[in-house]
Structure formats: C-alpha cells, structure tokens
Amino acid sequence: MTHPCRFCLLVATLLSISLATSLAHAADWPEKPVRIIVPYAAGGNSDLIARQTAQVLSEAFGRQFIADNRPGANGVIAAELTAKSAPDGYTLMNAATPQLAIAPALGKVPYDPVADFAPVSIVATNPFVLVVHRSIPAANVRDMIRFVRAHSGELAYATGGNGSISHLAAAMFLRRIDARAQAVAYKGNAPALADVLAGQLPMMFANLSEALPFAAGGSNLRLLAVTSAARIAALPGVPTLAESGLRGFEAGTWNGLVAPARTPPALIERIAGALQQALRSPAVAKRFTAIGVDPVGGTPAQFAERIRADIPLWAEAVRISGAKNE
C-alpha cells in the first residue's frame, strides 16, 4: 500500500512537472505560424478584425499569424474545427457573438460554448447599421417603417446567416413595427451586403465596419440608423433606431480570440497580455477604429464572464425572433 505522504509527494511532483512543461511551452511559443480561424467569408467585419489581430500578434511575437476563413452555418463549422483542434496554441479563432452566445440557442451544436473553448480576450465591439438600397423610397427610419408595413410579407432582407445578429436585429425590427419580410441567409455579412448594394435585396442590418465606406453618399446605399444606444462618432449624422421611434432598440456584437479548451493557461495569458498591450497603443487602436470597430482588450476571465452573461440574453432574443436552425 502506498504511504499517504508518498502519494501526496508524487502528486505534487507530477503537478510541478506539468506546470514547468506548460511554462516552458509558453516561453518557446510560437515556433511556427499560428492560424486564426475566421467563421465568415473574406471581406466581412470578422475577417477585417481577424486580419488586424493577426498583424498585431505577428508584430508582437515575431512569427506569422494567418487568418484562415472557414465560413458556413453562421460560424458553427469554424467553432467545431477550433474546439477539436490541438490545444497547443497554434489554432485560435476570431469568435463572434453568434458562435458562442446565439448558435447554441438555435439548436444542437457540436460543441459546448463554455467548456470547449479557452477565452483569450475580447478584441473589438461594434453596432450594426440599417441600410437600404437607394431604389427604396425611404429617406429615414419612419419612411422605411411605412414602406415595409405597406409591403408586409412581400419583401426580403439579407442576413449574414441564420441566427446571425444581422438576422436577429432585422427580426426584432420587424416585430417592433408589426410587419413581415423573408430572411435570405448568406455565408457572412460581406456577400449579403454586396447583394443589397447590387439591388438584389432591398435592405439589411450591416456591420458598422462594412457600412462605413458607403457613408459619404454617391453609392447605392442609404444608411438610415445605427443599433447602438448612442450615435457613432464615425456617423454623426446617422440617428439611432431608439431616437427614430423604436425606444430601447439596441444590438451589437463583439469579436474575440478563443483557443481550444485545455490550451495551457500560461500561453493564454501570454497572448492576452500581448494583445492588451498592443490595443493600448494609439497607432494600433487607430487601425481598428478605421475599420469601424472599437478596440477593447481585457483579460481571459473578463471575456469568459462576458460569454456567460451573453448566452441567456441572446437565447431570449432567439426565442422572441422565432429563429431556429435550418
């Protein structure tokens, strides 16, 4: 029979060896390129944030960080791939609210949004913008409400995917104005916005970063309102939906880095620290604000708490909207 003290000593020794190995791995990492999985198509909000994040981390660590686009199923494909990847620090994901806080409410997903990921840090947040094609006779939100009500059940709107925030925001908007329209899902907001721009669909709730290039006028799009609680500095002339008559209407998203569960905590802290330090730099922050997002940063614990808090909030939004897995 093993003596209790000897057993305790053995356990303590094994834990010490494991900790030392983890710290050594974190100190040596990265020894090869690191991929950042992007849940959406190239050119969209998440893709732009991921590529800026990859550049920031490449500069911080002196190794290449590469954005790897894996669109489909509103990010569920990318999230499953990340969850099943080796927890060695060489696979990260630029997660957004839909993958971790919305998809599980839409139906069964092949991962646990809390247990299967190690949160690193929120990178950036941003609201959405109600945009319409210029052929729509609506100069403001009130005009748009009248138009949609007059054509209730006849219109369609573009979304970045079933259950995406662009989808839920539109569904909530329609519910508030007591009208109906058909959702058309794309593999990301960028291709959805492209079809609105081309006049294939009349409207959508687009990410701020994707709508900004069309704010100056002269394009096929009109920017009618933002979904934030207050007006956006980059769009001072565009009102909020709340001040346009839909009191209390607010919707937005975050993008943040996550790693597969069981990635060494020392490595997670190292990545988070480098990211936080970079985002505090005015030059780096300016690169993010230029694409229409607010740089955030923060600790792994803070990001984990945000995910836990958002899960029930968005589950309620899914219930109200009637969205479900297709």
Side-chain angles (χ1 to χ4, degrees):
M1 179 177 179
T2 304
H3 193 279
C5 291
R6 290 179 179 174
F7 177 74
C8 292
L9 180 60
L10 175 61
V11 171
T13 301
L14 291 174
L15 288 174
S16 297
I17 292 172
S18 177
L19 177 60
T21 302
S22 175
L23 292 173
H25 175 67
D28 294 337
W29 178 94
E31 297 179 298
K32 61 181 181 180
V34 178
R35 66 172 175 167
I36 299 178
I37 295 176
V38 186
Y40 299 106
N45 180 71
S46 287
D47 179 67
L48 294 174
I49 293 172
R51 291 179 190 280
Q52 286 293 339
T53 303
Q55 183 177 343
V56 164
L57 294 178
S58 295
E59 293 166 354
F61 290 104
R63 287 281 185 179
Q64 192 173 17
F65 285 69
I66 303 167
D68 181 5
N69 298 85
R70 297 298 182 98
N74 199 24
V76 170
I77 292 172
E80 181 182 13
L81 175 61
T82 303
K84 292 181 178 178
S85 295
D88 55 9
Y90 290 100
T91 298
L92 305 172
M93 180 173 78
N94 182 61
T97 308
Q99 292 84 61
L100 302 188
I102 296 176
L106 293 169
K108 185 175 177 59
V109 292
Y111 55 84
D112 185 302
V114 174
D116 287 342
F117 301 96
V120 178
S121 178
I122 294 179
V123 176
T125 61
N126 67 277
F128 284 68
V129 183
L130 173 57
V131 301
V132 300
H133 189 265
R134 68 177 182 179
S135 62
I136 302 301
N140 52 51
V141 174
R142 288 178 176 84
D143 289 346
M144 190 61 186
I145 291 174
R146 284 192 290 268
F147 178 79
V148 174
R149 283 174 174 166
H151 298 276
S152 183
E154 302 172 10
L155 300 174
Y157 60 93
T159 79
N162 179 53
S164 63
I165 293 181
S166 63
H167 178 198
L168 294 183
M172 296 299 288
F173 171 75
L174 291 165
R175 184 175 185 270
R176 285 287 298 271
I177 68 172
D178 192 25
R180 293 179 296 109
Q182 179 65 41
V184 179
Y186 291 77
K187 291 184 178 181
N189 285 312
L193 184 60
D195 267 8
V196 177
L197 187 64
Q200 300 299 318
L201 291 169
M203 65 178 182
M204 78 171 290
F205 278 80
N207 271 296
L208 173 63
S209 61
E210 295 156 353
L212 272 179
F214 308 101
S219 76
N220 283 342
L221 295 183
R222 292 195 195 100
L223 281 57
L224 299 187
V226 293
T227 64
S228 49
R231 293 197 184 198
I232 302 299
L235 296 172
V238 178
T240 67
L241 278 165
E243 68 181 290
S244 300
L246 300 182
R247 187 175 178 180
F249 194 106
E250 186 176 353
T253 188
W254 43 256
N255 277 253
L257 286 183
V258 299
R262 299 177 301 282
T263 298
L267 187 52
I268 295 293
E269 293 288 348
R270 190 173 172 216
I271 301 169
L275 191 56
Q276 289 181 69
Q277 183 176 353
L279 291 174
R280 284 195 292 265
S281 162
V284 171
K286 186 176 181 180
R287 279 153 48 181
F288 282 89
T289 56
I291 61 172
V293 300
D294 294 320
V296 178
T299 67
Q302 289 170 332
F303 190 13
E305 179 56 34
R306 177 66 182 269
I307 293 169
R308 291 191 188 95
D310 275 3
I311 288 173
L313 291 177
W314 284 107
E316 177 65 8
V318 168
R319 185 191 69 78
I320 291 172
S321 71
K324 60 183 179 180
N325 274 339
E326 296 176 337

